């Protein structure tokens, strides 16, 4: 590993990256900690090389082995004092959609295959139904955030202009942090957002009666979700529901793919995920995931790792009652 304080062409030799922000007065601490982490990793791994580049208020980690990056992130969270790192939801830097589209070429990697497949499904949905007849189901959760950025990447590639229509099915028991994130995303993307409160089926029915042009909805469902193993990319709503085509580009993604995408492209997400929440449902029934609990070795406090450090993806929803 090399720690540098300026951009180097070396970073282009690596597939995976993380750009992590920190309080600008902590730069010396960050450099010391990265050197300590380097020594820790070299004790058990001499095969995988990686680079760390430190800037004024951020640093980049570059490696061809994403597991090494995850290991570095875990070290960082455990060794740095609270409030040293600044997570993506507090930054306003633009996401490079060209980077997202280019990653499709890495079909030897799970994330590359996932991105390619999802983009193909989104393009097919636009071809079948047209952009103006599709809305995005968006509630601020991690899966629909991934969909939003993939959708926008496709629109840029196809040179389609206009607002993305988004529909937020809102319960009476939402986290304020989730509400804030939805609003910040609406502002960031200039989304045309409709908020539907109350019962889902009747709310959807009323929306489609008022907006009959919409015949398809892009939804962030994954086959790893409960009861979703037999779903298809294009699937009509069940009998008794308003007639609508559900487009589900993320069916073959898993929990790790979702976080790999969000972290790879420095995409802002709801801050609750950095407090140990791995799945967001109703506020009264959602809690930090017990599988992320740890004891701070310096203070003895009970803390929770961020959601992207969950090691057992099967326990994703163990924080919801």
């Amino acid at each position: 590993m090399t720690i540098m304080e300026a951009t180097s062409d070396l970073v282009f030799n690596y597939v995976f990256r993380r750009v992590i922000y920190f309080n600008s007065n902590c730069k010396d601490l960050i450099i010391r900690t990265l050197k300590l982490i380097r020594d820790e990793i070299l004790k058990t791994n001499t095969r995988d090389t990686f680079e760390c580049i430190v800037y004024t208020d951020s640093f980049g980690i570059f490696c061809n082995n994403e597991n090494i990056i995850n290991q570095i992130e875990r070290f960082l969270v455990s060794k740095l004092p609270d409030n040293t790192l600044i997570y993506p939801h507090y930054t306003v830097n633009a996401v490079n959609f060209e980077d997202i589209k280019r990653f499709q070429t890495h079909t030897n990697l799970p994330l590359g295959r996932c991105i390619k497949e999802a983009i193909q499904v989104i393009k097919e949905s636009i071809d079948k139904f047209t952009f103006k007849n599709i809305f995005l189901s968006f509630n601020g959760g991690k899966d629909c955030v991934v969909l939003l950025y993939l959708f926008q990447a496709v629109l840029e590639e196809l040179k389609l202009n206009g607002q993305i229509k988004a529909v937020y099915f809102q319960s009476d028991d939402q986290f304020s942090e989730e509400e804030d994130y939805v609003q910040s995303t609406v502002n960031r993307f200039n989304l045309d957002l409709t908020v539907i409160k109350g019962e889902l089926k009747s709310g959807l029915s009323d929306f489609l009666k008022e907006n009959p042009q919409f015949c398809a909805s892009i939804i962030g469902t994954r086959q790893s979700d409960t009861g979703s193993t037999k779903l298809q990319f294009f699937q009509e709503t069940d009998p008794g529901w308003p007639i609508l085509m559900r487009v589900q580009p993320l069916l073959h993604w898993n929990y790790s793919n979702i976080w790999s995408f969000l972290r790879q492209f420095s995409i802002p997400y709801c801050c609750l995920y950095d407090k140990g929440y791995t799945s967001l449902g109703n506020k009264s029934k959602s809690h930090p995931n017990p599988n992320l609990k740890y004891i701070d070795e310096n203070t003895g406090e009970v803390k929770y790792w961020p959601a992207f450090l969950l090691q057992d993806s099967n326990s994703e929803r163990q924080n919801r009652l």
Side-chain angles (χ1 to χ4, degrees):
M1 183 197 78
T2 303
I3 294 178
M4 297 174 285
E5 295 194 35
T7 302
S8 167
D9 289 339
L10 286 173
V11 301
F12 299 111
N13 296 328
Y14 298 101
V15 174
F16 291 106
R17 72 180 184 207
R18 296 290 184 271
V19 177
I20 301 174
Y21 292 83
F22 58 85
N23 289 315
S24 56
N25 60 347
C26 297
K27 185 174 181 178
D28 290 341
L29 173 61
I30 291 295
I31 292 174
R32 291 197 305 272
T33 304
L34 288 172
K35 289 179 178 177
L36 177 64
I37 291 171
R38 172 197 59 193
D39 295 340
E40 291 282 347
I41 290 178
L42 287 177
K43 289 178 183 177
T44 57
N45 188 316
T46 57
R47 183 181 70 254
D48 296 299
T49 60
F50 57 95
E51 305 287 344
C52 293
I53 301 178
V54 183
Y55 309 104
T56 302
D57 59 358
S58 66
F59 60 93
I61 306 169
F62 305 88
C63 187
N64 285 327
N65 183 342
E66 193 171 27
N67 290 329
I68 294 295
I69 291 184
N70 293 338
Q71 188 178 353
I72 294 172
E73 289 190 297
R74 182 173 287 270
F75 271 122
L76 285 166
V77 174
S78 64
K79 294 184 180 300
L80 290 172
D82 290 346
N83 302 318
T84 301
L85 300 179
I86 301 174
Y87 291 106
H89 42 83
Y90 294 116
T91 65
V92 292
N93 295 289
V95 171
N96 188 331
F97 292 100
E98 284 297 324
D99 284 350
I100 294 175
K101 289 181 284 183
R102 275 195 295 267
F103 210 92
Q104 295 179 85
T105 61
H106 296 291
T107 53
N108 61 313
L109 299 170
L111 181 60
R113 292 195 300 272
C114 284
I115 291 175
K116 182 177 181 179
E117 182 179 72
I119 283 179
Q120 287 175 337
V121 173
I122 293 171
K123 285 181 177 178
E124 186 177 347
S125 71
I126 292 174
D127 186 54
K128 284 183 175 181
F129 307 110
T130 77
F131 169 49
K132 292 185 178 180
N133 294 330
I134 299 171
F135 70 86
L136 174 70
S137 181
F138 188 81
N139 64 357
K142 59 187 183 301
D143 301 314
C144 63
V145 174
V146 170
L147 264 187
L148 172 59
Y149 280 79
L150 287 169
F151 196 13
Q152 183 62 44
V154 170
L155 296 181
E156 291 197 4
E157 181 180 342
L158 299 179
K159 296 181 171 53
L160 291 173
N161 298 318
Q163 287 179 292
I164 292 175
K165 180 63 184 180
V167 176
Y168 177 20
F169 296 96
Q170 184 186 62
S171 78
D172 295 327
D173 189 23
Q174 298 284 155
F175 286 98
S176 60
E177 294 91 339
E178 195 172 10
E179 301 276 5
D180 292 344
Y181 175 77
V182 169
Q183 189 56 56
S184 68
T185 306
V186 168
N187 296 338
R188 183 186 297 257
F189 278 84
N190 190 29
L191 298 178
D192 178 10
L193 182 73
T194 294
V195 178
I196 297 177
K197 298 182 179 182
E199 200 269 330
L200 178 58
K201 185 187 291 187
S202 59
L204 178 60
S205 179
D206 291 342
F207 171 76
L208 292 176
K209 287 177 183 177
E210 296 173 6
N211 302 274
Q213 73 273 25
F214 292 111
C215 54
S217 174
I218 297 183
I219 302 171
T221 305
R222 293 182 273 125
Q223 285 187 335
S224 56
D225 295 337
T226 303
S228 301
T229 55
K230 296 182 179 180
L231 294 180
Q232 305 296 318
F233 290 127
F234 294 89
Q235 191 148 357
E236 289 188 353
T237 48
D238 295 334
W241 280 75
I243 297 175
L244 186 72
M245 181 62 73
R246 294 181 295 177
V247 182
Q248 298 163 143
L250 304 184
L251 276 186
H252 296 157
W253 291 51
N254 59 32
Y255 183 86
S256 297
N257 301 144
I258 293 294
W259 279 109
S260 180
F261 182 91
L262 293 172
R263 301 293 288 167
Q264 174 76 15
F265 303 110
S266 301
I267 291 174
Y269 50 81
C270 179
C271 63
L272 290 169
Y273 290 117
D274 289 322
K275 299 176 181 179
Y277 291 83
T278 51
S279 180
L280 300 182
N282 289 340
K283 181 178 180 180
S284 60
K285 295 183 178 181
S286 300
H287 307 279
N289 193 314
N291 293 283
L292 289 171
K293 184 186 294 186
Y294 73 100
I295 305 298
D296 188 310
E297 60 185 30
N298 297 315
T299 66
E301 293 179 81
V302 174
K303 294 184 178 180
Y304 290 87
W305 300 106
F308 59 82
L309 292 179
L310 182 69
Q311 295 180 314
D312 178 13
S313 60
N314 292 325
S315 67
E316 173 184 354
R317 288 180 170 77
Q318 286 188 14
N319 70 310
R320 290 170 62 173
L321 302 177

